[in-house]
Amino acid sequence: MRLDKFLKVSRLIKRRTLAKEIAGQGRITVNGNPAKASTVLSVGDEMVIRYGQKIVTLQVTSLKEAAKKEEADNLYKVVSEEELN
């Protein structure tokens, strides 16, 4: 599944166009490599996202084409969260 679609389906980022923009700015890495919106994700991939003053490390646990709000949290596991000063 494409990175931008996963971010939208998992509700980590609200809109797919915003996910593309953030990936284009180099604020997302997958398995240690800079990721584009078109990067293909697999179960077990580790993703690091930089949101403003926060860095979140996630592990992809499931891939679905669509997920209900209640199921969205089951698509990933938060490995760590750190604040930037």
Side-chain angles (χ1 to χ4, degrees):
M1 174 183 282
R2 286 175 53 112
L3 173 64
D4 57 346
K5 184 163 185 181
F6 177 79
L7 292 171
K8 180 190 176 296
V9 170
S10 65
R11 291 175 169 76
L12 289 165
I13 296 177
K14 290 187 189 272
R15 292 184 315 278
R16 196 166 170 180
T17 52
L18 185 59
K20 286 181 183 180
E21 195 177 300
I22 291 172
Q25 294 170 354
R27 293 170 38 189
I28 302 175
T29 60
V30 174
N31 297 328
N33 302 315
K36 296 180 184 176
S38 61
T39 300
V40 177
L41 292 178
S42 304
V43 173
D45 283 350
E46 189 169 276
M47 186 172 20
V48 179
I49 306 172
R50 190 168 40 108
Y51 295 102
Q53 297 300 314
K54 194 189 292 188
I55 295 179
V56 181
T57 304
L58 310 161
Q59 184 174 17
V60 178
T61 56
S62 178
L63 297 172
K64 289 186 179 181
E65 290 297 313
K68 293 180 181 169
K69 194 174 187 179
E70 302 80 36
E71 299 171 340
D73 291 347
N74 300 331
L75 299 178
Y76 61 90
K77 179 175 77 173
V78 177
V79 176
S80 70
E81 239 180 277
E82 60 182 272
E83 296 284 331
L84 295 175
N85 296 328

